Amino acid sequence: MKKHVYLFSEGNKEMRNILGGKGANLAEMTSIGLPVPQGFTVTTECCTDYYESGEKISEEIQSEILEYIKKLEKITGKEFGNPDNPLLVSVRSGSRASMPGMMDTVLNLGINDEVTIGLANLTNNPWFAYDSYRRFIQMFADVVMGYSKASFEKVFEDIKCEKKALTDQDLITQDMKKVVNKYKENYLKVAGTSFPTDPSVQLMEAIKAVFRSWNNERANVYRRLNNIPYLWGTAVNIQEMVYGNMGDTSGSGVAFTRNPATGENKLYGEYLMNSQGEDVVAGIRTPEPISSLASLMPEVYKEFSQHAKKLEDHYRDMQDMEFTIENGKLYMLQTRSGKRTAMAAIKIAIDLYNEGKITKEEAIMKVDPNQLDALLHPSFSPDALKIGKIIGTGLAASPGAATGKIYFTAGDAVKAIEKGEKEIILARLETSPEDIEGMNIAEGILTIRGGMTSHAAVVARGMGTCAVCGCDDLAIDEPSKTLKTKTGEVFNEGDFISLDGTTGHVYKGRLETVETTISGDFKTFMSWVDEVRDLEIRTNADSPNEAKIAKEFGATGIGLCRTEHMFFEETRIETFRKMILSQTEEDREKALAQILPYQQDDFEGIFREMAPYPVIIRYLDPPLHEFLPKELKEIEKIASDLNVSIDVIKSKIEDLKEFNPMMGHRGCRLAITYPEIAKMQTKAVIKAAINVAKEGKIVKPEIMIPLIGDKNELKYITEVVREVANNLIKDSGIKLDYLVGTMIELPRACILAGEIAKHADFFSFGTNDLTQMTYGFSRDDASKFLSDYYKKQIFEFDPFARLDVSGVGALVEIAIAKGKEANPNLEIGICGEHAGEASSIEFCYNQGMNYVSCSPYRVPIAKLAAAQSAIKASKKNN
Amino acid sequence: MKKHVYLFSEGNKEMRNILGGKGANLAEMTSIGLPVPQGFTVTTECCTDYYESGEKISEEIQSEILEYIKKLEKITGKEFGNPDNPLLVSVRSGSRASMPGMMDTVLNLGINDEVTIGLANLTNNPWFAYDSYRRFIQMFADVVMGYSKASFEKVFEDIKCEKKALTDQDLITQDMKKVVNKYKENYLKVAGTSFPTDPSVQLMEAIKAVFRSWNNERANVYRRLNNIPYLWGTAVNIQEMVYGNMGDTSGSGVAFTRNPATGENKLYGEYLMNSQGEDVVAGIRTPEPISSLASLMPEVYKEFSQHAKKLEDHYRDMQDMEFTIENGKLYMLQTRSGKRTAMAAIKIAIDLYNEGKITKEEAIMKVDPNQLDALLHPSFSPDALKIGKIIGTGLAASPGAATGKIYFTAGDAVKAIEKGEKEIILARLETSPEDIEGMNIAEGILTIRGGMTSHAAVVARGMGTCAVCGCDDLAIDEPSKTLKTKTGEVFNEGDFISLDGTTGHVYKGRLETVETTISGDFKTFMSWVDEVRDLEIRTNADSPNEAKIAKEFGATGIGLCRTEHMFFEETRIETFRKMILSQTEEDREKALAQILPYQQDDFEGIFREMAPYPVIIRYLDPPLHEFLPKELKEIEKIASDLNVSIDVIKSKIEDLKEFNPMMGHRGCRLAITYPEIAKMQTKAVIKAAINVAKEGKIVKPEIMIPLIGDKNELKYITEVVREVANNLIKDSGIKLDYLVGTMIELPRACILAGEIAKHADFFSFGTNDLTQMTYGFSRDDASKFLSDYYKKQIFEFDPFARLDVSGVGALVEIAIAKGKEANPNLEIGICGEHAGEASSIEFCYNQGMNYVSCSPYRVPIAKLAAAQSAIKASKKNN
C-alpha cells in the first residue's frame, strides 16, 4: 500500500516533491534538532488524488490520516478532543514551490466548548483559551466553509466598541466568552447548522479546504506568473499548536537571516507579543523589529539567532523563518529560502561565496534571471529628485522607481491597462492575495498599512516591482477613491504620483527617470555569469541607440534588426507610400532609389555601433497596407502629392486590404512579388557594410528573409540577393563576407527545414509567429478568450510569454534536427519574445542553439539564464 | 559514365521516366516491328542538368549527342549536312506525362542552301526541297530563337498574294525559292546575324529550345492543372525526317483507335495530303476524315488500321497516333494513350473489358477521377455553345451550366424567386456568408473578385452550384445594379446571362442546358468501382436536401454538417444576434432556448435522410462577428428590437472585431467561453436523434468539436457535452450511441495528437485550416500573391486544391501515428476540400484513414479515386 502520510521524523529536505517545501523543511529541522512542534504531512499526491476523485479524500487516505493523529497523540502525550489534555493542531498548505499567502491555513483546530474549558483550566489562562476558540471559529467559517468573514468581524468590532477596547488585548475573558457565543450564533445563522465540534470532522474539512485552495483564483494567477505546474498539487501539514497568544511572555514573528531588500548580512524581521502568526502578517498591529527582542528576551533572541545561523549554514542560503514563543519557550514553525530583491539576491550570492559557503556556480544559481529585470530599469534622475515634492514617506519595501497614475483597486488598475494606460500605481490601504493581478501590472505599489513583511512588500519584492509600504503620512478614502496628504492635498484616481522604492519617498506628479548601469556587485556577478556561459547573447535592435544600450549590457551581436521601422519616419514614409502606390515596376524602382540612401545610412550607424559583432537584418516584413494612411486628410495629401485622384488612392488602399493580415501578403511574399524591394535593401546593407569596413571596422552583415515556408521561396530570393550583393562587393574591391538566412516562423518551415537549410546560412526562430500559427490564434485577438482559458485551467501559462515546449517546442526540435542534418554549418538562434524569458532560454540552450536574441534590457537576464542552463546541463551530464 | 542518350532500338515503353512518353513509345514501336523512322532520345535527366547548370548543355552531353548523330548516320546511311545524301531530323519534346501542344517541336533540321539543292536533286522534287527549307527557317526563327513569326508570315503571305496563290501548293518552285531568300533576308534583319547553316549548331540550339519550352508559361499552367511535377523535365527526340510534303502520294495525319469524344470503337482521325504534321494541327487547310483514306490509298489505310489495332492491343488502351506517308510509304511517328472525354473514358474502359482485353481493375484505372466532374453537372448543349456570345471569362470555379436573370444582391434574388422567377444568376463583386440564401436559390453564381478558393467558389462547389469567379472582364456597379463588359455593353437586373462553370465563360442571353444522371455505362462503371473500393465515402452536407443528393450519389454518411449555416436563415438570425448581444449568461441562455427547436428540427431532417449512416455534426465554428449586421439600417433594427441604443450595438460590434478573424475567437474557443452554446447544440443533436430513433430509424450522431489545439480544450467541452447528452438519453429511456470527436486543423493538434486522442472518439482532418496555419497564409488573401508564385516556379500547385503531402501531409502523418498509438479505436477521416481531389484521396487512403468526406457532387469522384488507390496499394503489396 502506498504511503500517503509522513511524520516529520520520517522525512527530510530532499522530499519536497511529495511533502511540499514546508513539510520537507519541518522534517529537516526536526532531524537537525531544532525545536519544532511535531506533526505529520499529507503528501501532494493526495491533493492530485483529491481532484481526480471529484474533490473527495479517499477512505484509505482518511483512515491513514486518523492513524497519524493517533501517532501524534502518542508523541505529544496530548489527545485530540480530550478536554483534560487537548491536542490542538494547525493545518497548513505547502507546495513544492513556495507560494506565500496564496493558499489557506487553519490554526487552533480541535477546539470546541469542552476543550476550551479544559484548555483554560490547564493553562490557567481562560482569556487565551477563548481567544483561541474565537480565532478558530472565524477561521473555520471563513477559510474552510467559505462564509464571509465580515459578519464575524462586525460582531468582534461591536463588542470592542461597546467595551471601548482599542486592541484585542483590551478585552477581558468575559468579553472573549461573549465573542465566542455570538460567533457560534452567527455561524448557525450563516451556515444553517451549528458549528462542528468533532475534531475529526474539523480536520477533514480543513484538509479539504487546503486542497481546494490549491485551485483558487489567486493561486492560479500566482502559478501562471511563476511557472508552477498545476499538476504538482499541495501537501498539508498537521502540526501541534504552540501558542503565541498566551500572554506577555508569548508571541510570534517572522525573520530573515539577512536583509531581503538589501542583502545585508544581519538578522532581519518582526514580531508581535501575545499574538498568533497571522497577526504579524495581517498588519493589524504594527510589529516590532526583531532586534528589539534582544533586549526584551535576550535568551530567546540568542537562541533564535543561533537557530537562524544553523539553518542558513545548513541550507547554504538565506532563510525566511516563522517562530512562536510560548511562555518564554522558542519554537521554530517554518523555514524556507527567503524571497529577496534582485539587488539582495546578488549581494547574498556574492557574500555566501566570499564566506566560503557556496561555489561560484551555486552563487549563479541563486539569482532568478527574471528578477534582474528590476535592476535594469530606470531610477529617478538626481535632478528630478531635487525638484520632486515629497508628499509622504513609508517603508522602502521593494526598490526601484515608479511613476504613474493612481488607481485604488486592483480591478480598476487592470481595467485602466486594458484601456491602454501604460503606467499605473496601485494604491491600497493594504493588499491581500486577491490583488495579485493588479499588483502584477502596476509600475509601483503603495500601501498605507503593513510592514516590511506585509503581503504587499513580500509580493512586490518577488515581482521586482517597486513598492512603498506602510506610508501612514497618506490617507486613502476608498469610497471616494482619493489619496490625501497630511497637509490636506487630495489626489484623485488618474492623478500622477511617483514612488521611490529605495528611499520610501512618495512624490507628487511625474518624475523623470534615468537608465541604470551595471556596476558594483551586479558587475561582479555578471562577470561570473560570463565565465560560465557558453551561449551567445544577441539583441533585437532597430537603431544605433538600441544597439549601443545592448552592447553596454553585454550583447555580442544583433539577432534581429527590423527594417520596417525605418520607413515610418516622417521624411521617409511619403516616399515609401509612393513606392506602394506605384502602378509600374519602374515607378516602384524610382521611389525605392530615393529610400536607399536613408536605409543605407541607418545600417551604417548600426554596423558602426555593433562592430565587430554580427548584425542580422530582417527584410521588409509587414503587409504593405500597414504603411498606408487611414485618415481622409492624409489620403487627400497623398493624392495631391502624387497628382492622382483620391479615388485612385482609396481603391489601392481597398485593394491591399486583407481579411487576415497576419496571414497575408507579407514577409518573403513581398520580396517575391516585388524583388526590387529586396534588391534595394540588399544595396543598402552591402553598401553600408562596405563603407563601414572601409573605416577599418569589422562588419558582419547577415541578411534574414522572413516567413519562409518553402525552399523555393528562399532559393528565389537568395539568388536575387546574392547577385546584387556579389556585384557590389566585386566593384568595391574589398573582401566582405555576408550570410543569407531565414526566419523559421511557420510550421511548414519546421517540417521542411531540411530542404530549406540547403539554401540558408542560418536559421533564426521567430517564435512569436510560430506560436501564433501552431496554436492558430493571433496574439492580438487571443486576449479575448485567454482569460477564460486560465480560469478554466485549460492553459496554465501564456504561450507568447513562455515557449510552449510540448507543441511549438516540438516543431523547433524537428526543425533543428532536420536543418543540421542537411547543413551541418547552419547557425541557429531565436529572436522571438521568448528569447528574453528564462525557461525558454533553457529550452533553446538544450536544443543546441548558437545564440538567443532579446531586447536590450533583457540581455543580462538572458545571460544569467544561459549560464544557469549551462550549469544545469553540465550537472546532468556528470 | 552515365548514359544520357538512347537509340530508339535501345529503349522500351517502361523507360518513360528517362525517355519521356514519346521516346519510350518510339522505342517500343521499333521493337514490335512498326515502321518508325529511326532516331535517338536525349533523356529527361539532361533537362534537369540543363536547368541546374544555368541553362547550359554540358560538354559531356553535347559530345554524346554528336556521337549518336554519327550512329544515326550509320543506321540511315545518310549524312548530317552532306548535300549528296543529307540526313534531316525532327527535334521533338516528350515528357513523362503527355502535355499535348505545350512544348516545342522543330522539323526539317539539318537543312541549308547546299543541302536544299542536294535534296532537290536527290528527290527530283525542288518544290519539296524549298518548301522544307522555308518551313525550317521560320520554325527555327520562331521556336528556337524566339523571334516573332509574324514578319515571316507576312513575307510568305505577300508572295502568295502577288502570285494569287490560295494555298502553298499553288506556288511554284521559283516562288518557294523566293520565299526562302526573303526569309533569309528577314532573318538577318531580325537577328542581326545570318541564318546558321551548320547542322550541329542548329541541333544544339533546337535541343536547348525544347528544354526551355519545358519552362514556358503555358507548360507551367498545364502542369499545375494536371499535377505534373516541374522536376520531371522533358526528353528530346531526334528522329530522321520523313516527308509528307513530297507531293500527292505523300501526307501526314493524326488518328485515334476509338472516338475520343464518344468512345465508339472505330478509327477516328484526320489527314492532309502533301503536308507536314504541323499543318494538320494548325488548321490552315481543312483536313480529310481518316475514313476517306480507305478509298484514296486503300493499301496504306489497311496497313495503318492494322498498326492501330496492334498498338491498341499492345498498350491495352485507346491510342492517339501520328503518321506520315512519304511517296506512298507509311511511317508511324508517335503513339500515346489518347485523351478522351469522361463519357468516352467510361465507355472505352467498359468496352475493353468486355472485349477481354483488360481486367476490371485495369478498366477502373483508365478513368481520371477528376474528369468525372463533367458528368455530374448540367451542361450546355453543343448547339447552344455554337451560337452563344462570350462576354467574359473568369475562373471555372464550380462546374456545370447555368442560365438565368441577373440579380445583384442576395436579397433581390430571394425576392425575385418569391415573386415566381425560376432561374436566377447571382452576380456579386464577391460573396460573404450573408449571401448564403441567395446563393442557395441561384442557378449560378458570378463574382468579379476572388480565386478558386474564395468564399463563392467553395460554397458553390459545396452546393453543386455552377460558379464563375474572379471574372474581371466584367465590372459590376452596385448602386445602379448593372453589369458592364469591356466593350461597354451593359446588362441590367433581370437581363439573361449564362455561365459555364466548366470553362469559365460567361455568355450573353439564355443558353439551353441538358441534365445528367448516373445511368448506363456510368452506372455500370460505378458498380465496378464499389466492388474494389474499401474506403468509406461520406459527404459534407448542411441540409436534408444536400444529404439526399449525396446519398443518391452513393455517400454512406455525413462527414461534416456545419451548424452555423442554419443560423443565417432569416427567421433565426435575429434570435441568434440577440444571443450574441446578450450581456449575461442568463439572457444568452434565453435566446439559445429559442433557437433550440429550429436547430433540432434541422438535425431531425438530416438524420432521417441519412439513416442508417453516421452523421458528424460540427459545433459552431465562425467568430461571432460574422453574424452581426454591417449596415446601419440593420443595426438600427436590432437596437430597436432589443430596446437598446444604437451605440450599445455598435460598441458590441466594435468589441467583437478582430485583427485576424481566422485566428480569433472561434471554433472550440466559443464553446469554452460560452459553454451554453455547446449545451444547446448538444440538446438539439441528442433530442433530434432520440426522436428519429423513436421512428424506428437507425441514428448515429457524431459530435465534432472544431479547432482543438490542446487536450484540455477537448476535455473541458467533452465533459460539458457528455453530461447534457447522457442525461437526455437516460430520460428518454431508449438506447442511443453517439461519439464525440474533434477536427484536427491546427499544427499543434497534429503534434500533440497523442494527448488529444485520449479524449476523442474520432479525428476529422480539417485540411483547409490546417493548410492555412501550416503555410501561414489565408486562402482569402493568398490569391494576391499565388499567381506570382506560379509564374516564378515557387509553387507548382494550389495547396488548397491539392493536399501538400510534404508539409501538411507530414503533419497529418504525425497526427495519425500519435492518435492511433494513444487510442487504437480512433475513427479517422478528412473533411477539407481535399477530400474531393484524387491525389489527396490517395494520400488519405495510404495513411489508413477510415473515410473521406467531400461535397455531394464529388462523391463519385472520391469513390473512383478511392478504388484506384486500393488497386495501386494492392499492386505495391503484391
Side-chain angles (χ1 to χ4, degrees), chain A residues 657 660 672-673 713 748 784 789 792 804, chain B residues 655 657 672 713 748 784 788-789 792 804:
Chain A
K657 259 197 192 151
N660 296 283
I672 284 169
T673 47
E713 293 173 324
R748 195 170 188 271
K784 280 186 192 159
Y789 270 53
K792 297 183 178 182
D804 157 46
Chain B
D655 266 9
K657 259 196 195 151
I672 285 169
E713 294 172 324
R748 196 170 189 273
K784 280 186 192 158
D788 282 308
Y789 271 54
K792 297 184 177 182
D804 157 46

PDB file of all heavy atoms in Angstrom, chain A residues 657 660 672-673 713 748 784 789 792 804, chain B residues 655 657 672 713 748 784 788-789 792 804:
ATOM      1  N   LYS A 657      -6.308  45.763 -48.749  1.00  0.00           N
ATOM      2  CA  LYS A 657      -6.935  45.283 -47.517  1.00  0.00           C
ATOM      3  C   LYS A 657      -6.894  43.767 -47.469  1.00  0.00           C
ATOM      4  O   LYS A 657      -7.042  43.102 -48.487  1.00  0.00           O
ATOM      5  CB  LYS A 657      -8.388  45.751 -47.459  1.00  0.00           C
ATOM      6  CG  LYS A 657      -8.587  46.942 -46.564  1.00  0.00           C
ATOM      7  CD  LYS A 657     -10.046  47.111 -46.210  1.00  0.00           C
ATOM      8  CE  LYS A 657     -10.253  48.473 -45.560  1.00  0.00           C
ATOM      9  NZ  LYS A 657     -11.603  48.997 -45.810  1.00  0.00           N
ATOM     10  N   ASN A 660      -7.089  38.650 -43.194  1.00  0.00           N
ATOM     11  CA  ASN A 660      -6.240  38.216 -42.085  1.00  0.00           C
ATOM     12  C   ASN A 660      -4.808  38.663 -42.370  1.00  0.00           C
ATOM     13  O   ASN A 660      -4.014  37.885 -42.889  1.00  0.00           O
ATOM     14  CB  ASN A 660      -6.297  36.693 -41.939  1.00  0.00           C
ATOM     15  CG  ASN A 660      -7.684  36.208 -41.560  1.00  0.00           C
ATOM     16  OD1 ASN A 660      -8.098  36.309 -40.416  1.00  0.00           O
ATOM     17  ND2 ASN A 660      -8.414  35.719 -42.546  1.00  0.00           N
ATOM     18  N   ILE A 672       9.011  38.354 -53.153  1.00  0.00           N
ATOM     19  CA  ILE A 672       8.776  37.530 -54.349  1.00  0.00           C
ATOM     20  C   ILE A 672       7.954  38.304 -55.378  1.00  0.00           C
ATOM     21  O   ILE A 672       8.261  38.292 -56.559  1.00  0.00           O
ATOM     22  CB  ILE A 672       8.133  36.198 -53.945  1.00  0.00           C
ATOM     23  CG1 ILE A 672       9.215  35.313 -53.333  1.00  0.00           C
ATOM     24  CG2 ILE A 672       7.509  35.500 -55.161  1.00  0.00           C
ATOM     25  CD1 ILE A 672       8.729  34.075 -52.654  1.00  0.00           C
ATOM     26  N   THR A 673       6.937  39.015 -54.911  1.00  0.00           N
ATOM     27  CA  THR A 673       6.165  39.795 -55.880  1.00  0.00           C
ATOM     28  C   THR A 673       6.892  41.080 -56.266  1.00  0.00           C
ATOM     29  O   THR A 673       6.748  41.547 -57.382  1.00  0.00           O
ATOM     30  CB  THR A 673       4.766  40.146 -55.336  1.00  0.00           C
ATOM     31  OG1 THR A 673       4.905  40.637 -54.017  1.00  0.00           O
ATOM     32  CG2 THR A 673       3.866  38.932 -55.313  1.00  0.00           C
ATOM     33  N   GLU A 713      10.948  29.522 -52.141  1.00  0.00           N
ATOM     34  CA  GLU A 713      10.881  30.946 -51.794  1.00  0.00           C
ATOM     35  C   GLU A 713      12.279  31.448 -51.461  1.00  0.00           C
ATOM     36  O   GLU A 713      12.737  32.479 -51.971  1.00  0.00           O
ATOM     37  CB  GLU A 713       9.970  31.155 -50.577  1.00  0.00           C
ATOM     38  CG  GLU A 713       8.504  30.856 -50.820  1.00  0.00           C
ATOM     39  CD  GLU A 713       7.676  30.906 -49.538  1.00  0.00           C
ATOM     40  OE1 GLU A 713       8.191  30.497 -48.474  1.00  0.00           O
ATOM     41  OE2 GLU A 713       6.516  31.318 -49.594  1.00  0.00           O
ATOM     42  N   ARG A 748       5.267  24.928 -41.469  1.00  0.00           N
ATOM     43  CA  ARG A 748       5.761  24.214 -42.637  1.00  0.00           C
ATOM     44  C   ARG A 748       7.288  24.328 -42.759  1.00  0.00           C
ATOM     45  O   ARG A 748       7.954  23.405 -43.201  1.00  0.00           O
ATOM     46  CB  ARG A 748       5.083  24.751 -43.911  1.00  0.00           C
ATOM     47  CG  ARG A 748       5.263  23.820 -45.100  1.00  0.00           C
ATOM     48  CD  ARG A 748       4.385  24.254 -46.266  1.00  0.00           C
ATOM     49  NE  ARG A 748       4.403  23.261 -47.327  1.00  0.00           N
ATOM     50  CZ  ARG A 748       5.287  23.246 -48.313  1.00  0.00           C
ATOM     51  NH1 ARG A 748       6.219  24.169 -48.364  1.00  0.00           N
ATOM     52  NH2 ARG A 748       5.242  22.296 -49.241  1.00  0.00           N
ATOM     53  N   LYS A 784      -8.902  38.061 -25.838  1.00  0.00           N
ATOM     54  CA  LYS A 784     -10.344  37.992 -25.589  1.00  0.00           C
ATOM     55  C   LYS A 784     -10.764  36.689 -24.931  1.00  0.00           C
ATOM     56  O   LYS A 784     -11.745  36.648 -24.219  1.00  0.00           O
ATOM     57  CB  LYS A 784     -11.114  38.148 -26.903  1.00  0.00           C
ATOM     58  CG  LYS A 784     -11.217  39.579 -27.311  1.00  0.00           C
ATOM     59  CD  LYS A 784     -12.097  39.741 -28.521  1.00  0.00           C
ATOM     60  CE  LYS A 784     -11.924  41.147 -29.037  1.00  0.00           C
ATOM     61  NZ  LYS A 784     -12.295  41.294 -30.410  1.00  0.00           N
ATOM     62  N   TYR A 789      -9.510  30.830 -20.515  1.00  0.00           N
ATOM     63  CA  TYR A 789      -8.664  29.626 -20.558  1.00  0.00           C
ATOM     64  C   TYR A 789      -7.910  29.430 -19.238  1.00  0.00           C
ATOM     65  O   TYR A 789      -7.731  28.314 -18.785  1.00  0.00           O
ATOM     66  CB  TYR A 789      -7.669  29.728 -21.719  1.00  0.00           C
ATOM     67  CG  TYR A 789      -8.196  29.161 -23.013  1.00  0.00           C
ATOM     68  CD1 TYR A 789      -9.418  29.589 -23.527  1.00  0.00           C
ATOM     69  CD2 TYR A 789      -7.498  28.174 -23.704  1.00  0.00           C
ATOM     70  CE1 TYR A 789      -9.909  29.073 -24.704  1.00  0.00           C
ATOM     71  CE2 TYR A 789      -7.988  27.649 -24.883  1.00  0.00           C
ATOM     72  CZ  TYR A 789      -9.181  28.104 -25.393  1.00  0.00           C
ATOM     73  OH  TYR A 789      -9.664  27.572 -26.550  1.00  0.00           O
ATOM     74  N   LYS A 792     -10.418  28.437 -16.435  1.00  0.00           N
ATOM     75  CA  LYS A 792     -10.920  27.057 -16.529  1.00  0.00           C
ATOM     76  C   LYS A 792      -9.787  26.035 -16.583  1.00  0.00           C
ATOM     77  O   LYS A 792     -10.015  24.903 -16.981  1.00  0.00           O
ATOM     78  CB  LYS A 792     -11.849  26.945 -17.739  1.00  0.00           C
ATOM     79  CG  LYS A 792     -13.077  27.822 -17.587  1.00  0.00           C
ATOM     80  CD  LYS A 792     -14.086  27.711 -18.700  1.00  0.00           C
ATOM     81  CE  LYS A 792     -15.270  28.630 -18.362  1.00  0.00           C
ATOM     82  NZ  LYS A 792     -16.340  28.573 -19.349  1.00  0.00           N
ATOM     83  N   ASP A 804       5.983  27.335 -25.535  1.00  0.00           N
ATOM     84  CA  ASP A 804       5.224  26.100 -25.351  1.00  0.00           C
ATOM     85  C   ASP A 804       6.095  24.930 -25.800  1.00  0.00           C
ATOM     86  O   ASP A 804       6.167  24.601 -26.980  1.00  0.00           O
ATOM     87  CB  ASP A 804       3.950  26.201 -26.193  1.00  0.00           C
ATOM     88  CG  ASP A 804       3.362  24.848 -26.533  1.00  0.00           C
ATOM     89  OD1 ASP A 804       3.251  24.002 -25.631  1.00  0.00           O
ATOM     90  OD2 ASP A 804       3.004  24.639 -27.717  1.00  0.00           O
TER      91      ASP A 804
ATOM     92  N   ASP B 655     -16.406  45.757 -30.239  1.00  0.00           N
ATOM     93  CA  ASP B 655     -15.757  44.833 -29.296  1.00  0.00           C
ATOM     94  C   ASP B 655     -15.391  43.516 -29.945  1.00  0.00           C
ATOM     95  O   ASP B 655     -14.373  42.900 -29.637  1.00  0.00           O
ATOM     96  CB  ASP B 655     -16.743  44.484 -28.169  1.00  0.00           C
ATOM     97  CG  ASP B 655     -16.570  45.395 -26.984  1.00  0.00           C
ATOM     98  OD1 ASP B 655     -15.816  46.370 -27.108  1.00  0.00           O
ATOM     99  OD2 ASP B 655     -17.214  45.137 -25.956  1.00  0.00           O
ATOM    100  N   LYS B 657     -14.841  42.908 -33.073  1.00  0.00           N
ATOM    101  CA  LYS B 657     -13.966  42.977 -34.247  1.00  0.00           C
ATOM    102  C   LYS B 657     -12.634  42.301 -33.957  1.00  0.00           C
ATOM    103  O   LYS B 657     -12.115  42.384 -32.852  1.00  0.00           O
ATOM    104  CB  LYS B 657     -13.703  44.446 -34.611  1.00  0.00           C
ATOM    105  CG  LYS B 657     -14.550  44.896 -35.767  1.00  0.00           C
ATOM    106  CD  LYS B 657     -14.014  46.191 -36.353  1.00  0.00           C
ATOM    107  CE  LYS B 657     -15.063  46.814 -37.256  1.00  0.00           C
ATOM    108  NZ  LYS B 657     -14.938  48.263 -37.306  1.00  0.00           N
ATOM    109  N   ILE B 672     -15.782  27.252 -25.136  1.00  0.00           N
ATOM    110  CA  ILE B 672     -15.123  27.384 -23.836  1.00  0.00           C
ATOM    111  C   ILE B 672     -15.577  28.656 -23.131  1.00  0.00           C
ATOM    112  O   ILE B 672     -15.877  28.638 -21.946  1.00  0.00           O
ATOM    113  CB  ILE B 672     -13.593  27.312 -23.991  1.00  0.00           C
ATOM    114  CG1 ILE B 672     -13.229  25.847 -24.257  1.00  0.00           C
ATOM    115  CG2 ILE B 672     -12.872  27.831 -22.756  1.00  0.00           C
ATOM    116  CD1 ILE B 672     -11.821  25.603 -24.685  1.00  0.00           C
ATOM    117  N   GLU B 713      -8.731  21.637 -23.899  1.00  0.00           N
ATOM    118  CA  GLU B 713      -9.911  22.211 -24.549  1.00  0.00           C
ATOM    119  C   GLU B 713     -10.940  21.119 -24.796  1.00  0.00           C
ATOM    120  O   GLU B 713     -12.128  21.240 -24.484  1.00  0.00           O
ATOM    121  CB  GLU B 713      -9.524  22.852 -25.893  1.00  0.00           C
ATOM    122  CG  GLU B 713      -8.625  24.061 -25.783  1.00  0.00           C
ATOM    123  CD  GLU B 713      -8.118  24.547 -27.134  1.00  0.00           C
ATOM    124  OE1 GLU B 713      -7.850  23.702 -28.031  1.00  0.00           O
ATOM    125  OE2 GLU B 713      -7.982  25.771 -27.313  1.00  0.00           O
ATOM    126  N   ARG B 748      -0.609  22.433 -33.941  1.00  0.00           N
ATOM    127  CA  ARG B 748      -0.371  21.950 -32.590  1.00  0.00           C
ATOM    128  C   ARG B 748      -1.172  20.690 -32.296  1.00  0.00           C
ATOM    129  O   ARG B 748      -0.735  19.808 -31.571  1.00  0.00           O
ATOM    130  CB  ARG B 748      -0.709  23.041 -31.563  1.00  0.00           C
ATOM    131  CG  ARG B 748      -0.139  22.757 -30.186  1.00  0.00           C
ATOM    132  CD  ARG B 748      -0.280  23.969 -29.267  1.00  0.00           C
ATOM    133  NE  ARG B 748       0.438  23.782 -28.019  1.00  0.00           N
ATOM    134  CZ  ARG B 748      -0.080  23.194 -26.953  1.00  0.00           C
ATOM    135  NH1 ARG B 748      -1.320  22.751 -26.982  1.00  0.00           N
ATOM    136  NH2 ARG B 748       0.651  23.045 -25.854  1.00  0.00           N
ATOM    137  N   LYS B 784      -3.696  36.977 -53.836  1.00  0.00           N
ATOM    138  CA  LYS B 784      -2.945  38.163 -54.262  1.00  0.00           C
ATOM    139  C   LYS B 784      -1.521  37.845 -54.679  1.00  0.00           C
ATOM    140  O   LYS B 784      -0.946  38.544 -55.492  1.00  0.00           O
ATOM    141  CB  LYS B 784      -2.904  39.190 -53.128  1.00  0.00           C
ATOM    142  CG  LYS B 784      -4.180  39.965 -53.050  1.00  0.00           C
ATOM    143  CD  LYS B 784      -4.099  41.061 -52.045  1.00  0.00           C
ATOM    144  CE  LYS B 784      -5.484  41.603 -51.805  1.00  0.00           C
ATOM    145  NZ  LYS B 784      -5.598  42.275 -50.527  1.00  0.00           N
ATOM    146  N   ASP B 788       1.965  35.061 -58.669  1.00  0.00           N
ATOM    147  CA  ASP B 788       3.404  35.279 -58.822  1.00  0.00           C
ATOM    148  C   ASP B 788       4.196  34.027 -58.455  1.00  0.00           C
ATOM    149  O   ASP B 788       5.256  33.763 -59.014  1.00  0.00           O
ATOM    150  CB  ASP B 788       3.877  36.450 -57.936  1.00  0.00           C
ATOM    151  CG  ASP B 788       3.538  37.790 -58.553  1.00  0.00           C
ATOM    152  OD1 ASP B 788       3.879  37.989 -59.725  1.00  0.00           O
ATOM    153  OD2 ASP B 788       2.924  38.628 -57.867  1.00  0.00           O
ATOM    154  N   TYR B 789       3.681  33.294 -57.483  1.00  0.00           N
ATOM    155  CA  TYR B 789       4.353  32.068 -57.053  1.00  0.00           C
ATOM    156  C   TYR B 789       4.360  31.033 -58.179  1.00  0.00           C
ATOM    157  O   TYR B 789       5.326  30.314 -58.357  1.00  0.00           O
ATOM    158  CB  TYR B 789       3.658  31.491 -55.816  1.00  0.00           C
ATOM    159  CG  TYR B 789       4.210  32.019 -54.517  1.00  0.00           C
ATOM    160  CD1 TYR B 789       4.294  33.376 -54.272  1.00  0.00           C
ATOM    161  CD2 TYR B 789       4.676  31.145 -53.531  1.00  0.00           C
ATOM    162  CE1 TYR B 789       4.810  33.857 -53.092  1.00  0.00           C
ATOM    163  CE2 TYR B 789       5.188  31.619 -52.341  1.00  0.00           C
ATOM    164  CZ  TYR B 789       5.255  32.975 -52.127  1.00  0.00           C
ATOM    165  OH  TYR B 789       5.779  33.443 -50.942  1.00  0.00           O
ATOM    166  N   LYS B 792       6.773  32.198 -61.022  1.00  0.00           N
ATOM    167  CA  LYS B 792       8.201  32.099 -60.690  1.00  0.00           C
ATOM    168  C   LYS B 792       8.584  30.698 -60.233  1.00  0.00           C
ATOM    169  O   LYS B 792       9.633  30.524 -59.615  1.00  0.00           O
ATOM    170  CB  LYS B 792       8.540  33.144 -59.624  1.00  0.00           C
ATOM    171  CG  LYS B 792       8.320  34.547 -60.149  1.00  0.00           C
ATOM    172  CD  LYS B 792       8.715  35.643 -59.198  1.00  0.00           C
ATOM    173  CE  LYS B 792       8.498  36.995 -59.885  1.00  0.00           C
ATOM    174  NZ  LYS B 792       8.879  38.132 -59.075  1.00  0.00           N
ATOM    175  N   ASP B 804      -0.880  19.322 -49.753  1.00  0.00           N
ATOM    176  CA  ASP B 804       0.585  19.442 -49.763  1.00  0.00           C
ATOM    177  C   ASP B 804       1.160  18.280 -48.953  1.00  0.00           C
ATOM    178  O   ASP B 804       1.246  18.328 -47.736  1.00  0.00           O
ATOM    179  CB  ASP B 804       0.942  20.789 -49.140  1.00  0.00           C
ATOM    180  CG  ASP B 804       2.348  20.828 -48.577  1.00  0.00           C
ATOM    181  OD1 ASP B 804       3.275  20.375 -49.275  1.00  0.00           O
ATOM    182  OD2 ASP B 804       2.519  21.306 -47.436  1.00  0.00           O
TER     183      ASP B 804
END
